[in-house]
Amino acid sequence: MKKIQLLQKIIDNGVVAVLRGDSADQVFDMAEAAIAGGIKVIEVTLTVPGALHAIEKLSRMYSWETSDPDKFAIIGAGTVLEPQTARASIMAGAQFVVGPSLNPDTVKLCNLYRVPILPGVMTIAEVQQALELGVDIVKLFPGSLYDPSIIKTMKGPLPQADFMPTGGVSLSNLGDWIKGGAVAVGIGSDLTNEAVKTGDLSHVRTKAEQYMEAYRKAKSEL
């Protein structure tokens, strides 16, 4: 049941911060700024040096099961390519796993531990394979290659599939993705670019607030 409850929490919060950086400390600080801005689902990518340390530290500080809004966040691992990295991430405290592509062995490993896995897909065939493997939400990646109407198109033959576009989602098109049927969206470089350039992490918090406002507006218009 915990896996189902966790998936519902991810869907309820709707926006996932996909964080890349030069160090575990930098990504940790970005995560804190994003959480303060209202984005409560954090994906620490494994391309970050020391990413597992950031995941471990964040997962000790935040919980998805707490009733304290200041301590609530869902911490996951991204850019997970194979099952060994998935298991290491889970052992470090990751509550969900995201991959850039569909790796069946990684899905099976996550299913074994009852941890949500969101693999990247691009085609109907990959969506179908993901569903056959027991995936609950597929990551449409890179989203920049598609128009939001692609979700409705893919749901034609596969209405049971749930999609989270990532890559290319912006403040200007987030509403179109939600109205197009996305159960959540992943936000990457647009959330952190300004902070990386200036070193001022307040930009991450401000952008997070803007994304959550856009998300709530889009949901209210459904």
Side-chain angles (χ1 to χ4, degrees):
M1 286 298 293
K2 278 193 173 184
K3 179 185 176 184
I4 296 171
Q5 292 167 356
L6 178 54
L7 282 163
Q8 190 59 54
K9 292 271 190 183
I10 293 172
I11 292 170
D12 289 345
N13 282 275
V15 179
V16 180
V18 183
L19 301 182
R20 302 184 187 277
D22 297 325
S23 69
D25 288 341
Q26 183 187 44
V27 166
F28 175 84
D29 291 341
M30 287 178 178
E32 289 226 287
I35 292 168
I39 297 181
K40 300 292 189 174
V41 188
I42 304 296
E43 176 190 329
V44 177
T45 64
L46 271 293
T47 53
V48 176
L52 294 180
H53 295 297
I55 291 170
E56 185 175 6
K57 188 175 178 182
L58 287 164
S59 66
R60 285 200 306 265
M61 291 186 63
Y62 297 97
S63 170
W64 69 274
E65 294 177 287
T66 181
S67 57
D68 182 350
D70 293 329
K71 294 296 181 182
F72 173 81
I74 305 168
I75 310 301
T79 321
V80 175
L81 304 179
E82 27 64 40
Q84 292 83 1
T85 306
R87 187 178 187 279
S89 300
I90 294 166
M91 295 300 107
Q95 298 293 336
F96 65 97
V97 171
V98 183
S101 61
L102 178 60
N103 181 284
D105 289 336
T106 302
V107 175
K108 292 173 184 176
L109 184 282
C110 290
N111 286 343
L112 175 64
Y113 286 96
R114 301 297 292 156
V115 171
I117 166 75
L118 292 74
V121 298
M122 293 182 71
T123 66
I124 285 287
E126 288 177 323
V127 177
Q128 179 174 332
Q129 185 183 7
L131 293 174
E132 289 169 351
L133 290 166
V135 170
D136 296 286
I137 301 173
V138 292
K139 180 176 82 165
L140 190 63
F141 180 78
S144 56
L145 295 183
Y146 301 96
D147 182 271
S149 63
I150 188 64
I151 293 179
K152 183 178 180 181
T153 301
M154 287 189 167
K155 277 181 167 288
L158 296 171
Q160 70 274 32
D162 287 321
F163 295 87
M164 181 183 78
T166 303
V169 178
S170 65
L171 285 169
S172 62
N173 66 21
L174 182 151
D176 294 331
W177 280 111
I178 296 299
K179 293 170 188 175
V183 297
V185 295
I187 310 297
S189 57
D190 188 53
L191 181 66
T192 58
N193 270 348
E194 194 65 30
V196 171
K197 288 178 187 175
T198 64
D200 184 356
L201 287 173
S202 68
H203 289 293
V204 176
R205 178 170 181 163
T206 300
K207 264 292 172 72
E209 291 169 347
Q210 291 170 350
Y211 271 106
M212 291 311 299
E213 183 180 352
Y215 172 73
R216 287 190 291 267
K217 182 175 185 292
K219 291 292 285 185
S220 72
E221 294 172 352
L222 290 180

